[in-house]
Amino acid sequence: MATILIVGGSGCVGIETTKALLRDGHQVVSLSRGNRPLSPLANVTHVQADILDPQSIHSALEAHAITHVLHAAALRTTDCKKNPSQAVTVNINGTANLLEALSHYGKVERLVFTSTAAVYKVPDDNAFVDESAPTEVLNAYTATKLAAEQLVECYSHSHNLPATILRPQIIYGPTRGSDGSTAGITSAIYKASNGEDFTIPFGGTTYFHYSEDVGHYHAQALLHSPHHFARYNLPGESLDVSSICQSLNTLFPKSSIHHTPLRYPFANGLIDHAFLNDFPNTQRTPLTEAIHTMTQAHPPRPLQPQRHQ
């Protein structure tokens, strides 16, 4: 049985990974800066620490005999745009602090870092991209995520730290929350099920991941990675936002779901063969099934993950 430290345990990735790990009988320690637990899940040990304070991280690692670490804490795109210097402090310096603490601790069997597929340069033909595709820095968020990836890779090689980097595109689902424009798919599903109108703030074709699947992928990467260092695109579905609107309007005719013409600088999809080859027991929930799960007769109220401040 593993003991996993979740850095960013109150966010969508942290919550879903925690759920997957608890189902398999592992112990989860969730890190928060304040003295109140932020994770809404039971059976989780909460510890007060801060990635801006490497000594507090090292103390948490020692106190709870941590075996694996998930680093999913970061400022979102809009917050990075508003305050680039804070983006550097949290996303880059915070990652460096965590890596330094892990290096001194020396007992972690695997670090998993949640990055983003927004780092890829969009090919001229919008084709799918694999992990070897060129990257492009378009904003402070992708710049800091790429820098953090490089730090993780550096420590993996120079400090013998087993590490895995995961790149999701757009995550949707009950734990996604409503922050950020990419939450528009999640909001549209709930609005439609309530018979309300809604406009998704973007359009075009891109790659989507159901939140529960994302938690499963992270748990797999934490516990079953076959390589000392690896970088993976996460499995998902390439979907056109127009088709999502059409599906929701058909399923919930009392609502009217539309989208704007805005396209994100994302490729049409991710090539996920590497992940599927290394983790053959991977689940992948199609949108239609996800909608059904999210909108049953009495759906749970969506959790609202809190952002790292």
Side-chain angles (χ1 to χ4, degrees), residues 116-118 120 126-129 167-172 182 185 202-210 214 217 233-241 244 263-264 266-273 275-276 284:
T116 173
Y120 289 118
N126 284 325
F128 285 29
V129 293
R167 288 175 171 173
Q169 190 66 277
I170 294 179
I171 301 173
Y172 71 97
T182 56
I185 298 298
F202 62 94
T205 299
T206 190
Y207 220 55
F208 296 89
H209 319 269
Y210 184 49
V214 171
Y217 303 150
N233 291 336
L234 285 188
E237 280 187 296
S238 179
L239 299 168
D240 186 273
V241 176
I244 297 175
R263 286 190 62 116
Y264 289 126
F266 299 159
N268 282 0
L270 306 178
I271 297 174
D272 50 27
H273 300 332
F275 189 93
L276 295 174
R284 178 157 31 185

mmCIF file of all heavy atoms in Angstrom, residues 116-118 120 126-129 167-172 182 185 202-210 214 217 233-241 244 263-264 266-273 275-276 284:
data_model
loop_
_atom_site.group_PDB
_atom_site.id
_atom_site.type_symbol
_atom_site.label_atom_id
_atom_site.label_comp_id
_atom_site.label_asym_id
_atom_site.label_seq_id
_atom_site.Cartn_x
_atom_site.Cartn_y
_atom_site.Cartn_z
ATOM 1 N N THR A 116 0.207 20.509 -19.196
ATOM 2 C CA THR A 116 -0.916 20.833 -20.071
ATOM 3 C C THR A 116 -0.525 20.634 -21.530
ATOM 4 O O THR A 116 0.629 20.915 -21.913
ATOM 5 C CB THR A 116 -1.382 22.285 -19.872
ATOM 6 O OG1 THR A 116 -2.377 22.618 -20.855
ATOM 7 C CG2 THR A 116 -0.215 23.259 -20.001
ATOM 8 N N ALA A 117 -1.476 20.186 -22.334
ATOM 9 C CA ALA A 117 -1.241 20.056 -23.767
ATOM 10 C C ALA A 117 -1.335 21.400 -24.478
ATOM 11 O O ALA A 117 -1.088 21.478 -25.684
ATOM 12 C CB ALA A 117 -2.236 19.070 -24.371
ATOM 13 N N ALA A 118 -1.648 22.457 -23.733
ATOM 14 C CA ALA A 118 -1.657 23.798 -24.324
ATOM 15 C C ALA A 118 -0.250 24.259 -24.693
ATOM 16 O O ALA A 118 -0.089 25.289 -25.359
ATOM 17 C CB ALA A 118 -2.295 24.789 -23.359
ATOM 18 N N TYR A 120 1.691 22.771 -26.764
ATOM 19 C CA TYR A 120 2.042 22.390 -28.136
ATOM 20 C C TYR A 120 1.801 23.532 -29.121
ATOM 21 O O TYR A 120 0.815 24.265 -29.018
ATOM 22 C CB TYR A 120 1.219 21.189 -28.592
ATOM 23 C CG TYR A 120 1.598 19.889 -27.926
ATOM 24 C CD1 TYR A 120 0.673 19.199 -27.149
ATOM 25 C CD2 TYR A 120 2.867 19.352 -28.062
ATOM 26 C CE1 TYR A 120 1.008 18.002 -26.536
ATOM 27 C CE2 TYR A 120 3.215 18.156 -27.453
ATOM 28 C CZ TYR A 120 2.281 17.493 -26.687
ATOM 29 O OH TYR A 120 2.629 16.318 -26.078
ATOM 30 N N ASN A 126 -3.910 21.601 -38.149
ATOM 31 C CA ASN A 126 -4.631 21.247 -36.923
ATOM 32 C C ASN A 126 -4.624 19.754 -36.641
ATOM 33 O O ASN A 126 -5.504 19.240 -35.958
ATOM 34 C CB ASN A 126 -6.076 21.753 -36.958
ATOM 35 C CG ASN A 126 -6.170 23.250 -36.698
ATOM 36 O OD1 ASN A 126 -5.392 23.790 -35.920
ATOM 37 N ND2 ASN A 126 -7.086 23.906 -37.367
ATOM 38 N N ALA A 127 -3.654 19.042 -37.184
ATOM 39 C CA ALA A 127 -3.587 17.597 -36.989
ATOM 40 C C ALA A 127 -3.323 17.260 -35.530
ATOM 41 O O ALA A 127 -2.958 18.117 -34.719
ATOM 42 C CB ALA A 127 -2.480 17.010 -37.864
ATOM 43 N N PHE A 128 -3.500 15.979 -35.194
ATOM 44 C CA PHE A 128 -3.205 15.512 -33.854
ATOM 45 C C PHE A 128 -1.696 15.618 -33.607
ATOM 46 O O PHE A 128 -0.902 15.524 -34.531
ATOM 47 C CB PHE A 128 -3.649 14.061 -33.681
ATOM 48 C CG PHE A 128 -5.139 13.878 -33.530
ATOM 49 C CD1 PHE A 128 -6.037 14.754 -34.108
ATOM 50 C CD2 PHE A 128 -5.639 12.811 -32.806
ATOM 51 C CE1 PHE A 128 -7.402 14.578 -33.980
ATOM 52 C CE2 PHE A 128 -7.006 12.622 -32.667
ATOM 53 C CZ PHE A 128 -7.888 13.509 -33.250
ATOM 54 N N VAL A 129 -1.325 15.786 -32.346
ATOM 55 C CA VAL A 129 0.088 15.933 -31.996
ATOM 56 C C VAL A 129 0.486 14.857 -30.991
ATOM 57 O O VAL A 129 -0.304 14.468 -30.127
ATOM 58 C CB VAL A 129 0.382 17.324 -31.405
ATOM 59 C CG1 VAL A 129 0.204 18.399 -32.469
ATOM 60 C CG2 VAL A 129 -0.504 17.628 -30.202
ATOM 61 N N ARG A 167 0.152 15.402 -19.825
ATOM 62 C CA ARG A 167 -0.374 16.569 -20.533
ATOM 63 C C ARG A 167 -1.832 16.349 -20.939
ATOM 64 O O ARG A 167 -2.120 15.733 -21.973
ATOM 65 C CB ARG A 167 0.459 16.849 -21.777
ATOM 66 C CG ARG A 167 1.851 17.420 -21.497
ATOM 67 C CD ARG A 167 2.658 17.552 -22.775
ATOM 68 N NE ARG A 167 3.915 18.291 -22.562
ATOM 69 C CZ ARG A 167 4.865 18.439 -23.474
ATOM 70 N NH1 ARG A 167 4.705 17.890 -24.678
ATOM 71 N NH2 ARG A 167 5.961 19.117 -23.206
ATOM 72 N N PRO A 168 -2.778 16.840 -20.159
ATOM 73 C CA PRO A 168 -4.184 16.831 -20.587
ATOM 74 C C PRO A 168 -4.503 18.073 -21.413
ATOM 75 O O PRO A 168 -3.767 19.061 -21.369
ATOM 76 C CB PRO A 168 -4.945 16.844 -19.258
ATOM 77 C CG PRO A 168 -4.028 17.613 -18.342
ATOM 78 C CD PRO A 168 -2.610 17.310 -18.787
ATOM 79 N N GLN A 169 -5.641 18.020 -22.132
ATOM 80 C CA GLN A 169 -6.097 19.190 -22.875
ATOM 81 C C GLN A 169 -7.219 19.872 -22.093
ATOM 82 O O GLN A 169 -6.957 20.575 -21.138
ATOM 83 C CB GLN A 169 -6.550 18.788 -24.279
ATOM 84 C CG GLN A 169 -6.831 19.933 -25.233
ATOM 85 C CD GLN A 169 -5.594 20.735 -25.579
ATOM 86 O OE1 GLN A 169 -5.203 21.632 -24.824
ATOM 87 N NE2 GLN A 169 -4.956 20.427 -26.683
ATOM 88 N N ILE A 170 -8.481 19.623 -22.428
ATOM 89 C CA ILE A 170 -9.601 20.232 -21.707
ATOM 90 C C ILE A 170 -10.286 19.151 -20.865
ATOM 91 O O ILE A 170 -10.767 18.150 -21.401
ATOM 92 C CB ILE A 170 -10.610 20.882 -22.668
ATOM 93 C CG1 ILE A 170 -9.956 22.077 -23.378
ATOM 94 C CG2 ILE A 170 -11.853 21.338 -21.906
ATOM 95 C CD1 ILE A 170 -10.866 22.785 -24.367
ATOM 96 N N ILE A 171 -10.333 19.377 -19.564
ATOM 97 C CA ILE A 171 -10.969 18.443 -18.638
ATOM 98 C C ILE A 171 -12.380 18.944 -18.334
ATOM 99 O O ILE A 171 -12.592 20.143 -18.104
ATOM 100 C CB ILE A 171 -10.161 18.333 -17.337
ATOM 101 C CG1 ILE A 171 -8.730 17.866 -17.626
ATOM 102 C CG2 ILE A 171 -10.833 17.388 -16.345
ATOM 103 C CD1 ILE A 171 -7.807 17.901 -16.417
ATOM 104 N N TYR A 172 -13.336 18.026 -18.334
ATOM 105 C CA TYR A 172 -14.706 18.376 -17.952
ATOM 106 C C TYR A 172 -15.227 17.307 -17.002
ATOM 107 O O TYR A 172 -14.699 16.194 -16.944
ATOM 108 C CB TYR A 172 -15.614 18.488 -19.180
ATOM 109 C CG TYR A 172 -15.929 17.149 -19.836
ATOM 110 C CD1 TYR A 172 -17.112 16.469 -19.548
ATOM 111 C CD2 TYR A 172 -15.030 16.559 -20.723
ATOM 112 C CE1 TYR A 172 -17.383 15.239 -20.135
ATOM 113 C CE2 TYR A 172 -15.287 15.335 -21.315
ATOM 114 C CZ TYR A 172 -16.467 14.678 -21.014
ATOM 115 O OH TYR A 172 -16.742 13.462 -21.586
ATOM 116 N N THR A 182 -12.509 27.240 -20.204
ATOM 117 C CA THR A 182 -12.578 25.838 -20.619
ATOM 118 C C THR A 182 -13.558 25.044 -19.774
ATOM 119 O O THR A 182 -13.875 23.902 -20.107
ATOM 120 C CB THR A 182 -11.194 25.171 -20.553
ATOM 121 O OG1 THR A 182 -10.663 25.299 -19.234
ATOM 122 C CG2 THR A 182 -10.239 25.791 -21.556
ATOM 123 N N ILE A 185 -17.749 23.533 -21.086
ATOM 124 C CA ILE A 185 -18.390 22.253 -21.405
ATOM 125 C C ILE A 185 -19.111 21.703 -20.177
ATOM 126 O O ILE A 185 -20.266 21.274 -20.245
ATOM 127 C CB ILE A 185 -17.358 21.239 -21.924
ATOM 128 C CG1 ILE A 185 -16.714 21.754 -23.215
ATOM 129 C CG2 ILE A 185 -17.997 19.876 -22.157
ATOM 130 C CD1 ILE A 185 -17.671 21.964 -24.361
ATOM 131 N N PHE A 202 -16.297 29.037 -26.470
ATOM 132 C CA PHE A 202 -15.313 28.698 -27.494
ATOM 133 C C PHE A 202 -15.931 27.668 -28.431
ATOM 134 O O PHE A 202 -16.997 27.102 -28.159
ATOM 135 C CB PHE A 202 -14.015 28.152 -26.873
ATOM 136 C CG PHE A 202 -14.178 26.883 -26.078
ATOM 137 C CD1 PHE A 202 -13.977 25.639 -26.672
ATOM 138 C CD2 PHE A 202 -14.514 26.923 -24.739
ATOM 139 C CE1 PHE A 202 -14.119 24.472 -25.943
ATOM 140 C CE2 PHE A 202 -14.658 25.762 -24.003
ATOM 141 C CZ PHE A 202 -14.465 24.532 -24.599
ATOM 142 N N GLY A 203 -15.277 27.458 -29.559
ATOM 143 C CA GLY A 203 -15.778 26.497 -30.532
ATOM 144 C C GLY A 203 -14.622 25.714 -31.145
ATOM 145 O O GLY A 203 -13.507 25.690 -30.627
ATOM 146 N N GLY A 204 -14.897 25.084 -32.270
ATOM 147 C CA GLY A 204 -13.872 24.306 -32.941
ATOM 148 C C GLY A 204 -13.747 22.899 -32.413
ATOM 149 O O GLY A 204 -14.529 22.444 -31.579
ATOM 150 N N THR A 205 -12.739 22.200 -32.916
ATOM 151 C CA THR A 205 -12.481 20.811 -32.537
ATOM 152 C C THR A 205 -11.227 20.730 -31.686
ATOM 153 O O THR A 205 -10.195 21.316 -32.035
ATOM 154 C CB THR A 205 -12.297 19.936 -33.789
ATOM 155 O OG1 THR A 205 -13.496 19.969 -34.567
ATOM 156 C CG2 THR A 205 -11.992 18.490 -33.400
ATOM 157 N N THR A 206 -11.316 20.035 -30.579
ATOM 158 C CA THR A 206 -10.147 19.826 -29.735
ATOM 159 C C THR A 206 -10.355 18.564 -28.905
ATOM 160 O O THR A 206 -11.312 17.823 -29.111
ATOM 161 C CB THR A 206 -9.854 21.060 -28.852
ATOM 162 O OG1 THR A 206 -8.583 20.896 -28.231
ATOM 163 C CG2 THR A 206 -10.923 21.263 -27.809
ATOM 164 N N TYR A 207 -9.466 18.339 -27.933
ATOM 165 C CA TYR A 207 -9.442 17.081 -27.190
ATOM 166 C C TYR A 207 -10.006 17.283 -25.785
ATOM 167 O O TYR A 207 -9.646 18.243 -25.091
ATOM 168 C CB TYR A 207 -8.003 16.577 -27.101
ATOM 169 C CG TYR A 207 -7.861 15.081 -27.261
ATOM 170 C CD1 TYR A 207 -8.374 14.421 -28.371
ATOM 171 C CD2 TYR A 207 -7.175 14.323 -26.304
ATOM 172 C CE1 TYR A 207 -8.210 13.060 -28.524
ATOM 173 C CE2 TYR A 207 -7.006 12.956 -26.462
ATOM 174 C CZ TYR A 207 -7.532 12.330 -27.575
ATOM 175 O OH TYR A 207 -7.378 10.976 -27.734
ATOM 176 N N PHE A 208 -10.860 16.361 -25.364
ATOM 177 C CA PHE A 208 -11.541 16.455 -24.078
ATOM 178 C C PHE A 208 -11.316 15.190 -23.258
ATOM 179 O O PHE A 208 -11.260 14.078 -23.796
ATOM 180 C CB PHE A 208 -13.049 16.653 -24.290
ATOM 181 C CG PHE A 208 -13.398 17.945 -24.978
ATOM 182 C CD1 PHE A 208 -13.464 18.016 -26.365
ATOM 183 C CD2 PHE A 208 -13.654 19.098 -24.247
ATOM 184 C CE1 PHE A 208 -13.782 19.199 -27.010
ATOM 185 C CE2 PHE A 208 -13.965 20.289 -24.881
ATOM 186 C CZ PHE A 208 -14.031 20.341 -26.255
ATOM 187 N N HIS A 209 -11.226 15.386 -21.927
ATOM 188 C CA HIS A 209 -11.026 14.275 -20.999
ATOM 189 C C HIS A 209 -12.069 14.368 -19.890
ATOM 190 O O HIS A 209 -12.253 15.447 -19.289
ATOM 191 C CB HIS A 209 -9.639 14.319 -20.344
ATOM 192 C CG HIS A 209 -8.527 14.682 -21.270
ATOM 193 N ND1 HIS A 209 -7.803 13.754 -21.977
ATOM 194 C CD2 HIS A 209 -8.001 15.891 -21.594
ATOM 195 C CE1 HIS A 209 -6.877 14.367 -22.697
ATOM 196 N NE2 HIS A 209 -6.982 15.662 -22.477
ATOM 197 N N TYR A 210 -12.720 13.253 -19.581
ATOM 198 C CA TYR A 210 -13.664 13.214 -18.470
ATOM 199 C C TYR A 210 -12.883 13.181 -17.162
ATOM 200 O O TYR A 210 -11.907 12.440 -17.022
ATOM 201 C CB TYR A 210 -14.565 11.989 -18.591
ATOM 202 C CG TYR A 210 -15.645 11.907 -17.544
ATOM 203 C CD1 TYR A 210 -16.458 12.999 -17.259
ATOM 204 C CD2 TYR A 210 -15.853 10.723 -16.830
ATOM 205 C CE1 TYR A 210 -17.451 12.921 -16.308
ATOM 206 C CE2 TYR A 210 -16.845 10.638 -15.873
ATOM 207 C CZ TYR A 210 -17.651 11.741 -15.611
ATOM 208 O OH TYR A 210 -18.630 11.671 -14.662
ATOM 209 N N VAL A 214 -9.369 11.175 -15.782
ATOM 210 C CA VAL A 214 -8.106 11.870 -15.505
ATOM 211 C C VAL A 214 -7.541 11.427 -14.159
ATOM 212 O O VAL A 214 -6.330 11.216 -14.009
ATOM 213 C CB VAL A 214 -8.308 13.397 -15.550
ATOM 214 C CG1 VAL A 214 -7.063 14.131 -15.054
ATOM 215 C CG2 VAL A 214 -8.656 13.840 -16.967
ATOM 216 N N TYR A 217 -6.040 8.037 -14.697
ATOM 217 C CA TYR A 217 -4.765 8.122 -15.406
ATOM 218 C C TYR A 217 -3.633 8.530 -14.458
ATOM 219 O O TYR A 217 -2.529 7.981 -14.511
ATOM 220 C CB TYR A 217 -4.840 9.143 -16.544
ATOM 221 C CG TYR A 217 -5.911 8.892 -17.569
ATOM 222 C CD1 TYR A 217 -6.498 9.959 -18.253
ATOM 223 C CD2 TYR A 217 -6.365 7.606 -17.850
ATOM 224 C CE1 TYR A 217 -7.490 9.741 -19.201
ATOM 225 C CE2 TYR A 217 -7.359 7.384 -18.796
ATOM 226 C CZ TYR A 217 -7.921 8.462 -19.461
ATOM 227 O OH TYR A 217 -8.901 8.254 -20.389
ATOM 228 N N ASN A 233 0.877 12.318 -23.381
ATOM 229 C CA ASN A 233 -0.438 12.895 -23.628
ATOM 230 C C ASN A 233 -1.476 11.992 -22.962
ATOM 231 O O ASN A 233 -1.353 10.767 -23.012
ATOM 232 C CB ASN A 233 -0.743 12.950 -25.125
ATOM 233 C CG ASN A 233 0.113 13.956 -25.853
ATOM 234 O OD1 ASN A 233 0.607 14.913 -25.274
ATOM 235 N ND2 ASN A 233 0.293 13.744 -27.155
ATOM 236 N N LEU A 234 -2.507 12.594 -22.384
ATOM 237 C CA LEU A 234 -3.542 11.791 -21.757
ATOM 238 C C LEU A 234 -4.609 11.383 -22.774
ATOM 239 O O LEU A 234 -4.952 12.159 -23.672
ATOM 240 C CB LEU A 234 -4.204 12.558 -20.616
ATOM 241 C CG LEU A 234 -3.400 12.704 -19.328
ATOM 242 C CD1 LEU A 234 -4.262 13.310 -18.226
ATOM 243 C CD2 LEU A 234 -2.828 11.371 -18.875
ATOM 244 N N PRO A 235 -5.156 10.170 -22.646
ATOM 245 C CA PRO A 235 -6.230 9.731 -23.540
ATOM 246 C C PRO A 235 -7.481 10.595 -23.370
ATOM 247 O O PRO A 235 -7.732 11.151 -22.299
ATOM 248 C CB PRO A 235 -6.500 8.289 -23.095
ATOM 249 C CG PRO A 235 -5.245 7.862 -22.404
ATOM 250 C CD PRO A 235 -4.712 9.097 -21.743
ATOM 251 N N GLY A 236 -8.248 10.689 -24.442
ATOM 252 C CA GLY A 236 -9.492 11.448 -24.410
ATOM 253 C C GLY A 236 -10.257 11.275 -25.700
ATOM 254 O O GLY A 236 -10.119 10.256 -26.385
ATOM 255 N N GLU A 237 -11.069 12.271 -26.041
ATOM 256 C CA GLU A 237 -11.869 12.252 -27.269
ATOM 257 C C GLU A 237 -11.681 13.560 -28.024
ATOM 258 O O GLU A 237 -11.727 14.640 -27.417
ATOM 259 C CB GLU A 237 -13.359 12.143 -26.938
ATOM 260 C CG GLU A 237 -13.877 10.781 -26.600
ATOM 261 C CD GLU A 237 -15.393 10.822 -26.466
ATOM 262 O OE1 GLU A 237 -15.896 11.506 -25.559
ATOM 263 O OE2 GLU A 237 -16.076 10.170 -27.284
ATOM 264 N N SER A 238 -11.502 13.466 -29.330
ATOM 265 C CA SER A 238 -11.496 14.654 -30.168
ATOM 266 C C SER A 238 -12.942 14.946 -30.570
ATOM 267 O O SER A 238 -13.589 14.123 -31.230
ATOM 268 C CB SER A 238 -10.637 14.427 -31.417
ATOM 269 O OG SER A 238 -10.655 15.576 -32.245
ATOM 270 N N LEU A 239 -13.438 16.121 -30.150
ATOM 271 C CA LEU A 239 -14.845 16.453 -30.368
ATOM 272 C C LEU A 239 -14.971 17.877 -30.896
ATOM 273 O O LEU A 239 -14.204 18.768 -30.509
ATOM 274 C CB LEU A 239 -15.636 16.348 -29.057
ATOM 275 C CG LEU A 239 -15.674 14.971 -28.386
ATOM 276 C CD1 LEU A 239 -16.242 15.090 -26.977
ATOM 277 C CD2 LEU A 239 -16.506 13.994 -29.216
ATOM 278 N N ASP A 240 -15.944 18.068 -31.773
ATOM 279 C CA ASP A 240 -16.277 19.400 -32.230
ATOM 280 C C ASP A 240 -17.309 19.995 -31.280
ATOM 281 O O ASP A 240 -18.287 19.336 -30.934
ATOM 282 C CB ASP A 240 -16.833 19.365 -33.651
ATOM 283 C CG ASP A 240 -17.047 20.757 -34.205
ATOM 284 O OD1 ASP A 240 -18.127 21.327 -33.966
ATOM 285 O OD2 ASP A 240 -16.133 21.280 -34.869
ATOM 286 N N VAL A 241 -17.092 21.219 -30.835
ATOM 287 C CA VAL A 241 -17.994 21.834 -29.865
ATOM 288 C C VAL A 241 -19.408 21.929 -30.430
ATOM 289 O O VAL A 241 -20.387 21.807 -29.683
ATOM 290 C CB VAL A 241 -17.457 23.212 -29.431
ATOM 291 C CG1 VAL A 241 -18.432 23.904 -28.485
ATOM 292 C CG2 VAL A 241 -16.099 23.063 -28.760
ATOM 293 N N ILE A 244 -21.139 18.796 -29.638
ATOM 294 C CA ILE A 244 -21.500 18.731 -28.220
ATOM 295 C C ILE A 244 -22.794 19.507 -27.981
ATOM 296 O O ILE A 244 -23.707 19.029 -27.296
ATOM 297 C CB ILE A 244 -20.361 19.292 -27.350
ATOM 298 C CG1 ILE A 244 -19.101 18.434 -27.496
ATOM 299 C CG2 ILE A 244 -20.785 19.372 -25.883
ATOM 300 C CD1 ILE A 244 -17.893 18.979 -26.767
ATOM 301 N N ARG A 263 -11.757 30.131 -31.261
ATOM 302 C CA ARG A 263 -11.015 28.878 -31.223
ATOM 303 C C ARG A 263 -9.772 29.056 -30.362
ATOM 304 O O ARG A 263 -9.060 30.057 -30.477
ATOM 305 C CB ARG A 263 -10.586 28.447 -32.630
ATOM 306 C CG ARG A 263 -11.700 27.893 -33.493
ATOM 307 C CD ARG A 263 -11.109 27.282 -34.750
ATOM 308 N NE ARG A 263 -10.230 26.166 -34.417
ATOM 309 C CZ ARG A 263 -10.464 24.910 -34.775
ATOM 310 N NH1 ARG A 263 -11.540 24.620 -35.459
ATOM 311 N NH2 ARG A 263 -9.625 23.962 -34.447
ATOM 312 N N TYR A 264 -9.522 28.095 -29.507
ATOM 313 C CA TYR A 264 -8.288 28.117 -28.728
ATOM 314 C C TYR A 264 -7.132 27.669 -29.604
ATOM 315 O O TYR A 264 -7.314 26.917 -30.570
ATOM 316 C CB TYR A 264 -8.400 27.188 -27.523
ATOM 317 C CG TYR A 264 -9.329 27.673 -26.448
ATOM 318 C CD1 TYR A 264 -10.356 26.875 -25.970
ATOM 319 C CD2 TYR A 264 -9.177 28.942 -25.895
ATOM 320 C CE1 TYR A 264 -11.202 27.310 -24.981
ATOM 321 C CE2 TYR A 264 -10.022 29.390 -24.904
ATOM 322 C CZ TYR A 264 -11.031 28.576 -24.440
ATOM 323 O OH TYR A 264 -11.877 29.017 -23.460
ATOM 324 N N PHE A 266 -5.290 25.282 -29.826
ATOM 325 C CA PHE A 266 -5.082 23.878 -29.508
ATOM 326 C C PHE A 266 -5.186 23.053 -30.780
ATOM 327 O O PHE A 266 -5.982 23.371 -31.676
ATOM 328 C CB PHE A 266 -6.137 23.354 -28.523
ATOM 329 C CG PHE A 266 -6.161 24.037 -27.182
ATOM 330 C CD1 PHE A 266 -7.302 23.978 -26.396
ATOM 331 C CD2 PHE A 266 -5.068 24.734 -26.707
ATOM 332 C CE1 PHE A 266 -7.338 24.592 -25.146
ATOM 333 C CE2 PHE A 266 -5.095 25.360 -25.463
ATOM 334 C CZ PHE A 266 -6.237 25.288 -24.679
ATOM 335 N N ALA A 267 -4.426 21.986 -30.845
ATOM 336 C CA ALA A 267 -4.568 21.044 -31.953
ATOM 337 C C ALA A 267 -5.916 20.331 -31.854
ATOM 338 O O ALA A 267 -6.570 20.344 -30.808
ATOM 339 C CB ALA A 267 -3.433 20.023 -31.918
ATOM 340 N N ASN A 268 -6.311 19.700 -32.960
ATOM 341 C CA ASN A 268 -7.591 18.988 -32.971
ATOM 342 C C ASN A 268 -7.617 17.805 -32.017
ATOM 343 O O ASN A 268 -8.684 17.352 -31.607
ATOM 344 C CB ASN A 268 -7.912 18.500 -34.385
ATOM 345 C CG ASN A 268 -8.436 19.603 -35.280
ATOM 346 O OD1 ASN A 268 -8.569 20.748 -34.848
ATOM 347 N ND2 ASN A 268 -8.713 19.277 -36.529
ATOM 348 N N GLY A 269 -6.447 17.298 -31.671
ATOM 349 C CA GLY A 269 -6.424 16.162 -30.760
ATOM 350 C C GLY A 269 -5.015 15.775 -30.373
ATOM 351 O O GLY A 269 -4.027 16.298 -30.917
ATOM 352 N N LEU A 270 -4.937 14.875 -29.437
ATOM 353 C CA LEU A 270 -3.654 14.373 -28.944
ATOM 354 C C LEU A 270 -3.484 12.915 -29.347
ATOM 355 O O LEU A 270 -4.423 12.113 -29.237
ATOM 356 C CB LEU A 270 -3.589 14.468 -27.414
ATOM 357 C CG LEU A 270 -3.864 15.831 -26.789
ATOM 358 C CD1 LEU A 270 -3.798 15.718 -25.265
ATOM 359 C CD2 LEU A 270 -2.882 16.878 -27.301
ATOM 360 N N ILE A 271 -2.297 12.571 -29.779
ATOM 361 C CA ILE A 271 -1.960 11.162 -30.024
ATOM 362 C C ILE A 271 -1.554 10.569 -28.679
ATOM 363 O O ILE A 271 -0.584 11.000 -28.064
ATOM 364 C CB ILE A 271 -0.822 11.043 -31.051
ATOM 365 C CG1 ILE A 271 -1.278 11.608 -32.401
ATOM 366 C CG2 ILE A 271 -0.377 9.594 -31.200
ATOM 367 C CD1 ILE A 271 -0.173 11.678 -33.445
ATOM 368 N N ASP A 272 -2.333 9.599 -28.225
ATOM 369 C CA ASP A 272 -2.156 9.060 -26.879
ATOM 370 C C ASP A 272 -1.661 7.618 -26.871
ATOM 371 O O ASP A 272 -1.809 6.896 -25.883
ATOM 372 C CB ASP A 272 -3.462 9.157 -26.081
ATOM 373 C CG ASP A 272 -4.659 8.593 -26.846
ATOM 374 O OD1 ASP A 272 -4.465 7.710 -27.708
ATOM 375 O OD2 ASP A 272 -5.791 9.044 -26.573
ATOM 376 N N HIS A 273 -1.044 7.178 -27.973
ATOM 377 C CA HIS A 273 -0.608 5.778 -28.081
ATOM 378 C C HIS A 273 0.395 5.397 -26.998
ATOM 379 O O HIS A 273 0.357 4.281 -26.474
ATOM 380 C CB HIS A 273 0.007 5.516 -29.459
ATOM 381 C CG HIS A 273 -0.919 5.755 -30.600
ATOM 382 N ND1 HIS A 273 -2.291 5.630 -30.491
ATOM 383 C CD2 HIS A 273 -0.684 6.105 -31.898
ATOM 384 C CE1 HIS A 273 -2.854 5.891 -31.658
ATOM 385 N NE2 HIS A 273 -1.901 6.194 -32.523
ATOM 386 N N PHE A 275 0.751 6.434 -23.894
ATOM 387 C CA PHE A 275 0.105 6.158 -22.611
ATOM 388 C C PHE A 275 -0.662 4.847 -22.662
ATOM 389 O O PHE A 275 -0.573 4.020 -21.747
ATOM 390 C CB PHE A 275 -0.839 7.301 -22.233
ATOM 391 C CG PHE A 275 -1.373 7.199 -20.821
ATOM 392 C CD1 PHE A 275 -0.724 7.845 -19.785
ATOM 393 C CD2 PHE A 275 -2.506 6.451 -20.527
ATOM 394 C CE1 PHE A 275 -1.197 7.754 -18.472
ATOM 395 C CE2 PHE A 275 -2.988 6.346 -19.227
ATOM 396 C CZ PHE A 275 -2.327 6.999 -18.199
ATOM 397 N N LEU A 276 -1.408 4.632 -23.739
ATOM 398 C CA LEU A 276 -2.215 3.416 -23.850
ATOM 399 C C LEU A 276 -1.340 2.170 -23.940
ATOM 400 O O LEU A 276 -1.711 1.102 -23.431
ATOM 401 C CB LEU A 276 -3.129 3.507 -25.074
ATOM 402 C CG LEU A 276 -4.207 4.604 -25.000
ATOM 403 C CD1 LEU A 276 -4.957 4.700 -26.323
ATOM 404 C CD2 LEU A 276 -5.183 4.327 -23.862
ATOM 405 N N ARG A 284 -11.662 4.876 -20.705
ATOM 406 C CA ARG A 284 -11.886 6.109 -21.462
ATOM 407 C C ARG A 284 -13.390 6.274 -21.618
ATOM 408 O O ARG A 284 -14.033 5.553 -22.366
ATOM 409 C CB ARG A 284 -11.179 6.061 -22.809
ATOM 410 C CG ARG A 284 -11.427 7.312 -23.628
ATOM 411 C CD ARG A 284 -10.403 7.629 -24.690
ATOM 412 N NE ARG A 284 -9.729 6.527 -25.315
ATOM 413 C CZ ARG A 284 -8.750 6.683 -26.196
ATOM 414 N NH1 ARG A 284 -8.341 7.888 -26.526
ATOM 415 N NH2 ARG A 284 -8.154 5.645 -26.737
#
